[in-house]
Amino acid sequence: MDPALQERILRRNALMASSGIALRLEARGQRLGLRGPLPCRNGDGMRVQRISLGLPLSEAGLEEAEQQLRQV
């Protein structure tokens, strides 16, 4: 992974954590996703889950991932 992208992901996650957002951006292979507490399908509370965004690990993909994270 590009060190600049990795640093940007870390900074964004730190900003979201400081503002109380529990979801985090995550790079898995060459794709971006979200990880954090989300409601279970059966309604039994929250648990840490992953959402694959299907976005490439790039500057443009990171911008789109941040927008989708705010929608969730």
Side-chain angles (χ1 to χ4, degrees), residues 19-64:
S19 65
I21 298 173
L23 292 174
R24 302 287 177 262
L25 292 171
E26 177 180 67
R28 294 183 51 126
Q30 293 299 310
R31 299 283 180 199
L32 290 167
L34 301 177
R35 182 174 187 266
L38 296 165
C40 293
R41 284 185 181 178
N42 60 8
D44 289 341
M46 306 277 273
R47 67 174 232 221
V48 174
Q49 299 183 56
R50 288 185 166 110
I51 298 175
S52 175
L53 300 176
L55 298 171
L57 183 58
S58 65
E59 290 291 330
L62 193 53
E63 291 294 326
E64 179 66 25

Side-chain angles (χ1 to χ4, degrees), residues 60-72:
L62 193 53
E63 291 294 326
E64 179 66 25
E66 289 174 18
Q67 290 176 3
Q68 289 188 20
L69 181 138
R70 294 186 195 290
Q71 289 178 354
V72 173

